[in-house]
Short mmCIF file of all heavy atoms in Angstrom, two decimals:
data_model
loop_
_atom_site.label_atom_id
_atom_site.label_comp_id
_atom_site.label_asym_id
_atom_site.label_seq_id
_atom_site.Cartn_x
_atom_site.Cartn_y
_atom_site.Cartn_z
N PRO A 1 -7.96 -7.60 -14.22
CA PRO A 1 -8.55 -6.76 -15.28
C PRO A 1 -7.52 -5.79 -15.86
O PRO A 1 -6.63 -5.31 -15.14
CB PRO A 1 -9.66 -5.99 -14.54
CG PRO A 1 -9.93 -6.75 -13.29
CD PRO A 1 -8.64 -7.44 -12.93
N LYS A 2 -7.67 -5.49 -17.13
CA LYS A 2 -6.74 -4.57 -17.80
C LYS A 2 -6.68 -3.21 -17.10
O LYS A 2 -5.63 -2.60 -17.02
CB LYS A 2 -7.13 -4.39 -19.26
CG LYS A 2 -6.82 -5.60 -20.09
CD LYS A 2 -7.15 -5.40 -21.54
CE LYS A 2 -6.87 -6.73 -22.20
NZ LYS A 2 -6.97 -6.76 -23.59
N GLU A 3 -7.82 -2.77 -16.57
CA GLU A 3 -7.86 -1.48 -15.88
C GLU A 3 -6.98 -1.51 -14.63
O GLU A 3 -6.34 -0.52 -14.29
CB GLU A 3 -9.30 -1.12 -15.47
CG GLU A 3 -10.27 -0.97 -16.63
CD GLU A 3 -10.81 -2.32 -17.14
OE1 GLU A 3 -10.72 -3.35 -16.44
OE2 GLU A 3 -11.31 -2.33 -18.27
N TRP A 4 -6.96 -2.65 -13.94
CA TRP A 4 -6.12 -2.78 -12.75
C TRP A 4 -4.64 -2.76 -13.17
O TRP A 4 -3.82 -2.12 -12.52
CB TRP A 4 -6.42 -4.06 -12.00
CG TRP A 4 -7.73 -4.10 -11.29
CD1 TRP A 4 -8.85 -3.36 -11.58
CD2 TRP A 4 -8.06 -4.93 -10.18
NE1 TRP A 4 -9.85 -3.69 -10.71
CE2 TRP A 4 -9.41 -4.66 -9.85
CE3 TRP A 4 -7.36 -5.88 -9.46
CZ2 TRP A 4 -10.05 -5.30 -8.80
CZ3 TRP A 4 -8.01 -6.53 -8.42
CH2 TRP A 4 -9.34 -6.24 -8.10
N MET A 5 -4.33 -3.49 -14.22
CA MET A 5 -2.94 -3.54 -14.69
C MET A 5 -2.47 -2.12 -15.03
O MET A 5 -1.34 -1.76 -14.71
CB MET A 5 -2.82 -4.46 -15.90
CG MET A 5 -3.08 -5.93 -15.60
SD MET A 5 -1.87 -6.68 -14.52
CE MET A 5 -0.40 -6.59 -15.53
N GLU A 6 -3.33 -1.34 -15.67
CA GLU A 6 -2.96 0.03 -16.02
C GLU A 6 -2.79 0.88 -14.75
O GLU A 6 -1.86 1.67 -14.65
CB GLU A 6 -4.01 0.64 -16.96
CG GLU A 6 -3.59 1.93 -17.58
CD GLU A 6 -2.27 1.84 -18.35
OE1 GLU A 6 -1.99 0.84 -19.04
OE2 GLU A 6 -1.48 2.81 -18.24
N GLU A 7 -3.65 0.68 -13.78
CA GLU A 7 -3.56 1.40 -12.50
C GLU A 7 -2.23 1.10 -11.79
O GLU A 7 -1.67 1.96 -11.13
CB GLU A 7 -4.75 1.00 -11.62
CG GLU A 7 -4.81 1.70 -10.29
CD GLU A 7 -5.21 3.16 -10.35
OE1 GLU A 7 -5.63 3.65 -11.43
OE2 GLU A 7 -5.10 3.84 -9.33
N TRP A 8 -1.76 -0.13 -11.92
CA TRP A 8 -0.52 -0.55 -11.27
C TRP A 8 0.74 -0.25 -12.08
O TRP A 8 1.86 -0.52 -11.64
CB TRP A 8 -0.56 -2.06 -11.01
CG TRP A 8 -1.54 -2.50 -9.99
CD1 TRP A 8 -1.97 -1.81 -8.89
CD2 TRP A 8 -2.22 -3.75 -9.95
NE1 TRP A 8 -2.87 -2.57 -8.18
CE2 TRP A 8 -3.05 -3.76 -8.82
CE3 TRP A 8 -2.22 -4.87 -10.78
CZ2 TRP A 8 -3.85 -4.85 -8.48
CZ3 TRP A 8 -3.02 -5.95 -10.46
CH2 TRP A 8 -3.82 -5.93 -9.32
N ARG A 9 0.58 0.28 -13.29
CA ARG A 9 1.70 0.41 -14.23
C ARG A 9 2.96 0.98 -13.57
O ARG A 9 4.04 0.39 -13.66
CB ARG A 9 1.30 1.26 -15.43
CG ARG A 9 2.45 1.50 -16.40
CD ARG A 9 1.98 2.06 -17.72
NE ARG A 9 1.13 1.15 -18.45
CZ ARG A 9 1.56 0.06 -19.12
NH1 ARG A 9 2.84 -0.23 -19.12
NH2 ARG A 9 0.72 -0.70 -19.76
N LYS A 10 2.86 2.12 -12.89
CA LYS A 10 4.06 2.76 -12.32
C LYS A 10 4.73 1.89 -11.27
O LYS A 10 5.95 1.81 -11.22
CB LYS A 10 3.69 4.12 -11.72
CG LYS A 10 3.51 5.20 -12.77
CD LYS A 10 3.15 6.52 -12.15
CE LYS A 10 4.41 7.27 -11.79
NZ LYS A 10 4.14 8.66 -11.36
N GLU A 11 3.95 1.24 -10.43
CA GLU A 11 4.57 0.44 -9.36
C GLU A 11 5.12 -0.90 -9.85
O GLU A 11 5.90 -1.53 -9.14
CB GLU A 11 3.61 0.25 -8.18
CG GLU A 11 2.39 -0.57 -8.48
CD GLU A 11 1.38 -0.51 -7.34
OE1 GLU A 11 0.79 0.55 -7.14
OE2 GLU A 11 1.20 -1.55 -6.68
N LEU A 12 4.74 -1.32 -11.04
CA LEU A 12 5.25 -2.58 -11.59
C LEU A 12 6.54 -2.41 -12.39
O LEU A 12 7.19 -3.39 -12.75
CB LEU A 12 4.19 -3.27 -12.45
CG LEU A 12 2.93 -3.75 -11.72
CD1 LEU A 12 1.93 -4.34 -12.71
CD2 LEU A 12 3.27 -4.75 -10.63
N ILE A 13 6.92 -1.18 -12.65
CA ILE A 13 8.14 -0.93 -13.42
C ILE A 13 9.36 -1.16 -12.54
O ILE A 13 9.43 -0.67 -11.42
CB ILE A 13 8.13 0.50 -13.99
CG1 ILE A 13 7.02 0.63 -15.04
CG2 ILE A 13 9.49 0.87 -14.57
CD1 ILE A 13 6.80 2.05 -15.52
N VAL A 14 10.29 -1.93 -13.05
CA VAL A 14 11.56 -2.17 -12.36
C VAL A 14 12.55 -1.14 -12.90
O VAL A 14 12.88 -1.16 -14.09
CB VAL A 14 12.08 -3.60 -12.59
CG1 VAL A 14 13.40 -3.82 -11.85
CG2 VAL A 14 11.04 -4.63 -12.18
N THR A 15 13.01 -0.26 -12.04
CA THR A 15 13.89 0.83 -12.48
C THR A 15 15.36 0.45 -12.34
O THR A 15 15.73 -0.45 -11.58
CB THR A 15 13.62 2.09 -11.64
OG1 THR A 15 14.01 1.83 -10.28
CG2 THR A 15 12.17 2.52 -11.71
N SER A 16 16.19 1.19 -13.05
CA SER A 16 17.64 0.96 -12.93
C SER A 16 18.11 1.32 -11.53
O SER A 16 19.03 0.69 -11.01
CB SER A 16 18.40 1.72 -14.01
OG SER A 16 18.11 3.10 -13.95
N ASP A 17 17.48 2.31 -10.89
CA ASP A 17 17.83 2.65 -9.50
C ASP A 17 17.54 1.47 -8.58
O ASP A 17 18.33 1.17 -7.68
CB ASP A 17 17.06 3.88 -9.02
CG ASP A 17 17.60 5.18 -9.57
OD1 ASP A 17 18.74 5.18 -10.11
OD2 ASP A 17 16.89 6.20 -9.47
N TYR A 18 16.39 0.81 -8.79
CA TYR A 18 16.05 -0.34 -7.95
C TYR A 18 17.12 -1.43 -8.10
O TYR A 18 17.60 -1.98 -7.10
CB TYR A 18 14.66 -0.91 -8.30
CG TYR A 18 14.27 -2.01 -7.36
CD1 TYR A 18 13.61 -1.72 -6.17
CD2 TYR A 18 14.59 -3.34 -7.62
CE1 TYR A 18 13.29 -2.72 -5.26
CE2 TYR A 18 14.27 -4.35 -6.73
CZ TYR A 18 13.62 -4.03 -5.56
OH TYR A 18 13.31 -5.03 -4.66
N VAL A 19 17.49 -1.72 -9.33
CA VAL A 19 18.50 -2.76 -9.58
C VAL A 19 19.85 -2.37 -8.97
O VAL A 19 20.55 -3.22 -8.41
CB VAL A 19 18.62 -3.04 -11.10
CG1 VAL A 19 19.83 -3.92 -11.41
CG2 VAL A 19 17.34 -3.69 -11.62
N ALA A 20 20.19 -1.10 -9.04
CA ALA A 20 21.47 -0.64 -8.50
C ALA A 20 21.50 -0.67 -6.97
O ALA A 20 22.54 -0.91 -6.37
CB ALA A 20 21.77 0.77 -9.00
N GLN A 21 20.34 -0.48 -6.33
CA GLN A 21 20.29 -0.35 -4.87
C GLN A 21 19.95 -1.64 -4.13
O GLN A 21 20.13 -1.71 -2.92
CB GLN A 21 19.27 0.73 -4.48
CG GLN A 21 19.69 2.10 -4.92
CD GLN A 21 18.57 3.12 -4.76
OE1 GLN A 21 17.58 2.87 -4.10
NE2 GLN A 21 18.74 4.27 -5.36
N HIS A 22 19.42 -2.64 -4.83
CA HIS A 22 18.96 -3.86 -4.17
C HIS A 22 19.52 -5.10 -4.86
O HIS A 22 20.13 -5.01 -5.92
CB HIS A 22 17.42 -3.89 -4.16
CG HIS A 22 16.82 -2.70 -3.49
ND1 HIS A 22 16.91 -2.48 -2.13
CD2 HIS A 22 16.16 -1.64 -4.00
CE1 HIS A 22 16.31 -1.35 -1.82
NE2 HIS A 22 15.86 -0.81 -2.94
N ARG A 23 19.30 -6.23 -4.23
CA ARG A 23 19.76 -7.52 -4.77
C ARG A 23 18.70 -8.05 -5.73
O ARG A 23 17.61 -8.43 -5.30
CB ARG A 23 20.00 -8.49 -3.61
CG ARG A 23 20.42 -9.86 -4.04
CD ARG A 23 21.91 -9.91 -4.31
NE ARG A 23 22.31 -11.30 -4.40
CZ ARG A 23 23.00 -11.78 -5.41
NH1 ARG A 23 23.40 -10.99 -6.39
NH2 ARG A 23 23.32 -13.06 -5.44
N VAL A 24 19.01 -8.04 -7.01
CA VAL A 24 18.10 -8.56 -8.03
C VAL A 24 18.84 -9.67 -8.77
O VAL A 24 19.92 -9.44 -9.31
CB VAL A 24 17.64 -7.45 -9.01
CG1 VAL A 24 16.70 -8.03 -10.07
CG2 VAL A 24 16.96 -6.32 -8.25
N VAL A 25 18.26 -10.85 -8.75
CA VAL A 25 18.87 -12.02 -9.38
C VAL A 25 17.91 -12.56 -10.42
O VAL A 25 16.71 -12.75 -10.15
CB VAL A 25 19.19 -13.10 -8.31
CG1 VAL A 25 19.68 -14.38 -8.97
CG2 VAL A 25 20.23 -12.57 -7.33
N LEU A 26 18.43 -12.80 -11.59
CA LEU A 26 17.57 -13.30 -12.66
C LEU A 26 18.03 -14.66 -13.15
O LEU A 26 19.17 -15.06 -12.95
CB LEU A 26 17.48 -12.28 -13.80
CG LEU A 26 18.75 -11.80 -14.48
CD1 LEU A 26 19.21 -12.78 -15.54
CD2 LEU A 26 18.50 -10.45 -15.11
N ALA A 27 17.09 -15.35 -13.75
CA ALA A 27 17.35 -16.67 -14.33
C ALA A 27 17.05 -16.58 -15.82
O ALA A 27 16.02 -16.05 -16.23
CB ALA A 27 16.48 -17.74 -13.67
N GLU A 28 17.98 -17.11 -16.60
CA GLU A 28 17.84 -17.10 -18.06
C GLU A 28 17.92 -18.52 -18.60
O GLU A 28 18.67 -19.34 -18.08
CB GLU A 28 18.95 -16.28 -18.69
CG GLU A 28 18.96 -14.83 -18.29
CD GLU A 28 20.21 -14.09 -18.77
OE1 GLU A 28 21.32 -14.62 -18.60
OE2 GLU A 28 20.05 -12.99 -19.29
N ALA A 29 17.15 -18.77 -19.62
CA ALA A 29 17.23 -20.02 -20.38
C ALA A 29 17.45 -19.62 -21.83
O ALA A 29 16.69 -18.82 -22.38
CB ALA A 29 15.95 -20.83 -20.24
N GLU A 30 18.50 -20.15 -22.43
CA GLU A 30 18.85 -19.81 -23.82
C GLU A 30 18.92 -18.29 -24.00
O GLU A 30 18.37 -17.74 -24.96
CB GLU A 30 17.85 -20.44 -24.78
CG GLU A 30 17.85 -21.96 -24.71
CD GLU A 30 16.79 -22.61 -25.56
OE1 GLU A 30 16.14 -21.90 -26.37
OE2 GLU A 30 16.61 -23.82 -25.43
N GLN A 31 19.56 -17.62 -23.05
CA GLN A 31 19.78 -16.18 -23.05
C GLN A 31 18.49 -15.36 -23.01
O GLN A 31 18.48 -14.19 -23.38
CB GLN A 31 20.65 -15.76 -24.24
CG GLN A 31 22.02 -16.40 -24.18
CD GLN A 31 22.90 -15.99 -25.33
OE1 GLN A 31 22.44 -15.53 -26.36
NE2 GLN A 31 24.19 -16.16 -25.15
N ARG A 32 17.39 -15.99 -22.56
CA ARG A 32 16.11 -15.28 -22.41
C ARG A 32 15.72 -15.28 -20.94
O ARG A 32 15.76 -16.32 -20.29
CB ARG A 32 15.02 -15.94 -23.25
CG ARG A 32 15.27 -15.85 -24.75
CD ARG A 32 14.12 -16.47 -25.50
NE ARG A 32 12.88 -15.78 -25.20
CZ ARG A 32 12.24 -14.98 -26.05
NH1 ARG A 32 12.74 -14.78 -27.23
NH2 ARG A 32 11.12 -14.41 -25.70
N LEU A 33 15.30 -14.13 -20.45
CA LEU A 33 14.87 -13.99 -19.07
C LEU A 33 13.61 -14.82 -18.83
O LEU A 33 12.64 -14.72 -19.58
CB LEU A 33 14.57 -12.51 -18.77
CG LEU A 33 14.00 -12.20 -17.40
CD1 LEU A 33 15.02 -12.49 -16.31
CD2 LEU A 33 13.56 -10.74 -17.36
N VAL A 34 13.65 -15.68 -17.80
CA VAL A 34 12.46 -16.49 -17.48
C VAL A 34 11.93 -16.22 -16.08
O VAL A 34 10.77 -16.53 -15.80
CB VAL A 34 12.73 -18.01 -17.66
CG1 VAL A 34 12.99 -18.33 -19.13
CG2 VAL A 34 13.86 -18.50 -16.79
N ALA A 35 12.74 -15.62 -15.20
CA ALA A 35 12.29 -15.36 -13.83
C ALA A 35 13.31 -14.47 -13.13
O ALA A 35 14.46 -14.36 -13.57
CB ALA A 35 12.14 -16.67 -13.06
N PHE A 36 12.85 -13.85 -12.02
CA PHE A 36 13.80 -13.11 -11.19
C PHE A 36 13.21 -12.86 -9.81
O PHE A 36 12.01 -13.00 -9.60
CB PHE A 36 14.21 -11.78 -11.84
CG PHE A 36 13.21 -10.66 -11.77
CD1 PHE A 36 13.29 -9.70 -10.76
CD2 PHE A 36 12.20 -10.54 -12.70
CE1 PHE A 36 12.39 -8.65 -10.69
CE2 PHE A 36 11.28 -9.51 -12.64
CZ PHE A 36 11.38 -8.55 -11.64
N TYR A 37 14.11 -12.53 -8.88
CA TYR A 37 13.66 -12.07 -7.57
C TYR A 37 14.42 -10.81 -7.21
O TYR A 37 15.49 -10.53 -7.74
CB TYR A 37 13.82 -13.14 -6.49
CG TYR A 37 15.22 -13.57 -6.13
CD1 TYR A 37 16.01 -12.82 -5.25
CD2 TYR A 37 15.77 -14.74 -6.64
CE1 TYR A 37 17.29 -13.22 -4.90
CE2 TYR A 37 17.05 -15.15 -6.30
CZ TYR A 37 17.80 -14.39 -5.43
OH TYR A 37 19.06 -14.78 -5.09
#
C-alpha cells in the first residue's frame, strides 16, 4: 500500500554514506541502472 511505502521512505533511501561505507555493486544496461546489491 502507498501508506506503507511512505512509512518506509526514510529506510528505503540509499545514502552516499552507505555507498561509501559498504560494498554496493550495480548492474547497468545501456547506461541505465537495472539492479544492485
Side-chain angles (χ1 to χ4, degrees):
K2 288 182 183 186
E3 299 81 17
W4 289 24
M5 293 294 295
E6 192 56 39
E7 182 73 9
W8 292 329
R9 177 167 296 284
K10 283 180 88 172
E11 65 190 70
L12 295 177
I13 293 172
V14 180
T15 66
S16 57
D17 284 345
Y18 185 88
V19 170
Q21 294 170 13
H22 302 290
R23 177 82 167 129
V24 179
V25 173
L26 56 83
E28 298 171 313
E30 298 175 10
Q31 298 181 340
R32 295 182 60 108
L33 175 67
V34 295
F36 77 96
Y37 66 81

